[in-house]
Amino acid sequence: DGGITQSPKYLFRKEGQNVTLSCEQNLNHDAMYWYRQDPGQGLRLIYYSQIVNDFQKGDIAEGYSVSREKKESFPLTVTSAQKNPTAFYLCASTAGPLAGELFFGEGSRLTVL
Amino acid sequence: AQSVTQLGSHVSVSEGALVLLRCNYSSSVPPYLFWYVQYPNQGLQLLLKYTSAATLVKGINGFEAEFKKSETSFHLTKPSAHMSDAAEYFCAVIGNTGGFKTIFGAGTRLFVKA
């Protein structure tokens, strides 16, 4: 079945450590997105990519980095520069900017100890 | 910039009662509007979308929404709530600037009482 796979589902990290969240899709979608979700704040866009080897900052990109070397993959690195990284992270994809709906992965919950 | 406002962070209904979740958008052009549902510790899934074909949009699980341009609203309704409807619901719009990104409301958590 086609879909988006995020891993790991749960992740714990110590302060000062970088961590990378994986996002893989087999929907043949061009555009991929990373959102951060905090209680009562909806989803906030971190980074997005509309084509391989190209990506743009979203509304809250500070302390995060991404790469898009393959169409299927869009990993997110949460760096030690992110001041408050504990959150639920969601990866999504769509066939194109105006294609309509976003398809989401199951999410990754990061907790900083 | 476009924005979405969901009225009420929490809504509680009895099983069998009408569900009404409110969403207002700001847009200078006809938008693409969506409702998504999220169950605990899961990703979001699409309930329904408005793309100007019809003002009354039917979605999955018995939900529907009506686009009212004069009120800039896109409220979500379901005639009879079921326990399985308990979840968080997000209204969203595709912005027409800066790469046509999807903009989400803050979400409304629906509680269903037995």
Side-chain angles (χ1 to χ4, degrees), chain B residues 46-88:
Chain B
L46 183 72
L47 270 180
L48 49 82
K49 62 182 178 183
Y50 167 77
T51 56
S52 78
T55 57
L56 183 63
V57 182
K58 295 188 182 297
I60 62 172
N61 301 337
F63 284 93
E64 62 182 35
E66 186 172 10
F67 173 70
K68 292 187 176 180
K69 185 177 179 180
S70 61
E71 300 177 6
T72 61
S73 69
F74 191 56
H75 301 332
L76 182 71
T77 60
K78 181 174 181 178
S80 177
H82 191 273
M83 296 297 288
S84 61
D85 295 326
E88 188 152 23

Side-chain angles (χ1 to χ4, degrees), chain A residues 9 37 45 50 102 105 109, chain B residues 36 38 41 43 90 98-99 101:
Chain A
K9 179 75 172 177
Q37 186 177 19
L45 184 63
Q50 295 181 348
L102 290 168
R109 186 168 297 280
Chain B
Y36 290 87
Q38 184 183 33
N41 292 312
F90 293 92
K101 299 184 293 289

Side-chain angles (χ1 to χ4, degrees), chain A residues 13 16-18 61-64 77-85:
Chain A
R13 93 160 201 212
Q17 290 181 334
N18 292 355
E62 185 176 353
Y64 300 97
T77 297
V78 184
T79 75
S80 57
Q82 168 51 232
K83 299 302 181 187
N84 185 20

Side-chain angles (χ1 to χ4, degrees), chain A residues 9-10 33 35 37 40-43 45 48 50 88 90 97-102 104-107 109, chain B residues 32 34 36 38 41-46 49 88 90 94-95 98-107:
Chain A
K9 179 75 172 177
Y10 299 95
Y33 305 79
Y35 289 91
Q37 186 177 19
Q41 296 194 45
L43 277 69
L45 184 63
Y48 64 104
Q50 295 181 348
F88 191 54
L90 287 160
L98 283 177
E101 69 176 287
L102 290 168
F104 284 86
E106 292 287 291
R109 186 168 297 280
Chain B
Y32 289 84
F34 306 84
Y36 290 87
Q38 184 183 33
N41 292 312
Q42 294 186 22
L44 281 68
Q45 58 181 282
L46 183 72
K49 62 182 178 183
E88 188 152 23
F90 293 92
I94 289 184
F100 299 99
K101 299 184 293 289
T102 301
I103 300 165
F104 288 89

